[in-house]
């Protein structure tokens, strides 16, 4: 039983386990909490505890850029779930420093709240990045590529400055897609399927 398509493929294609012995649990976002907010600020959210060295270096690099004027970096640290959701709802961009990740729930929650995402997929979150790329609001950065964070952030800010209406449309559409695929209902269905599939193993 695993929680990401990356891990499913690892167990199947990498380790040779047959599909009959594998189940994928869908991670459910708290959809009543993690949803787009009414107003967005020129704010970039991130979790500093995730690969804190990378986080600090990227913060310092961004702080030297003139095009960051008017934008703020908002750390999410030791916050309640409600506070996390509130910060993400206020933010336009989320920097993902999580690597490795079993699934990457912070990325899913950020997308659900209407944030674009730049950073590490952590491999487990690659399915979220694949989905977000369809809406042109997600940029995966190779692990350790600090300049990649800076360049992708600059590209996002340029998009925001030049075509806001289009960008907000993409953010809303991606949020709807994430919330429809990763919610309490789809999680429960996947758990039920796994229990039925492995019933003989548990008995």
């Amino acid at each position: 039983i695993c929680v990401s398509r990356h891990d499913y493929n690892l167990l199947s294609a990498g380790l040779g386990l047959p599909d009959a012995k594998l189940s994928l649990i869908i991670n459910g976002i708290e959809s009543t909490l993690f949803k787009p907010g009414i107003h967005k600020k020129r704010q970039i959210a991130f979790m500093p505890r995730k690969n804190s060295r990378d986080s600090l270096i990227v913060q310092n690099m961004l702080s030297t850029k003139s095009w960051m004027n008017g934008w703020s970096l908002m750390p999410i640290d030791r916050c309640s779930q409600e506070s996390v959701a509130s910060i993400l709802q206020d933010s336009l961009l989320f920097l993902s420093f999580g690597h490795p990740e079993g699934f990457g729930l912070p990325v899913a929650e950020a997308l659900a709240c209407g944030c674009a995402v730049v950073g590490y997929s952590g491999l487990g979150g690659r399915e979220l990045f694949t989905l977000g790329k369809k809406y042109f609001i997600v940029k995966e950065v190779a692990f350790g590529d600090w300049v990649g964070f800076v360049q992708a952030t600059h590209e996002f800010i340029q998009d925001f400055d030049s075509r806001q209406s289009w960008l907000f449309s993409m953010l809303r559409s991606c949020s709807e897609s994430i919330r429809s695929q990763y919610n309490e209902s789809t999680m429960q269905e996947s758990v039920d399927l796994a229990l039925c599939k492995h019933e003989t193993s548990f008995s």
Side-chain angles (χ1 to χ4, degrees):
I1 296 176
C2 54
V3 295
S4 71
R5 290 182 175 86
H6 172 270
D7 286 356
Y8 191 102
N9 290 336
L10 171 65
L11 294 170
S12 176
L15 301 180
L17 272 69
D19 287 344
K21 293 187 176 182
L22 291 174
S23 289
L24 174 64
I25 302 298
I26 303 297
N27 275 279
I29 300 166
E30 295 177 68
S31 55
T32 57
L33 184 60
F34 292 96
K35 56 187 177 182
I38 298 173
H39 302 292
K40 288 283 190 182
K41 303 175 182 177
R42 294 189 180 211
Q43 178 172 287
I44 300 171
F46 65 99
M47 293 183 171
R49 64 183 176 82
K50 299 268 188 173
N51 286 304
S52 57
R53 178 171 172 264
D54 292 36
S55 168
L56 183 59
I57 291 169
V58 171
Q59 286 178 72
N60 288 333
M61 292 174 73
L62 288 173
S63 69
T64 68
K65 304 303 180 185
S66 60
W67 44 261
M68 278 290 291
N69 290 339
W71 288 80
S72 60
L73 291 167
M74 176 61 68
I76 302 174
D77 193 27
R78 299 182 182 180
C79 295
S80 65
Q81 281 287 82
E82 291 75 15
S83 295
V84 172
S86 179
I87 291 171
L88 291 174
Q89 287 168 345
D90 286 344
S91 301
L92 279 160
L93 180 63
F94 177 75
L95 302 181
S96 173
F97 292 101
H99 182 91
E101 289 281 7
F103 169 67
L105 192 59
V107 169
E109 292 171 345
L111 292 172
C113 287
C115 295
V117 174
V118 163
Y120 305 150
S121 72
L123 299 179
R126 188 161 285 169
E127 63 194 74
L128 301 169
F129 277 67
T130 298
L131 188 156
K133 286 174 183 176
K134 295 178 182 178
Y135 300 94
F136 310 101
I137 60 161
V138 167
K139 174 71 173 180
E140 184 172 358
V141 175
F143 184 62
D145 184 5
W146 307 320
V147 173
F149 270 95
V150 175
Q151 291 174 337
T153 300
H154 190 200
E155 290 169 7
F156 172 80
I157 290 176
Q158 288 177 317
D159 276 342
F160 180 78
D161 289 340
S162 63
R163 44 181 181 171
Q164 280 190 33
S165 296
W166 171 84
L167 181 61
F168 278 122
S169 175
M170 292 297 100
L171 292 173
R172 286 193 297 270
S173 296
C174 186
S175 170
E176 291 171 4
S177 184
I178 286 285
R179 284 158 48 80
S180 69
Q181 293 186 46
Y182 301 93
N183 56 53
E184 297 94 330
S185 178
T186 56
M187 180 175 68
Q188 185 61 60
E189 290 174 7
S190 70
V191 171
D192 290 343
L193 286 172
L195 290 174
C196 291
K197 191 173 187 179
H198 301 284
E199 184 176 7
T200 56
S201 301
F202 297 141
S203 61

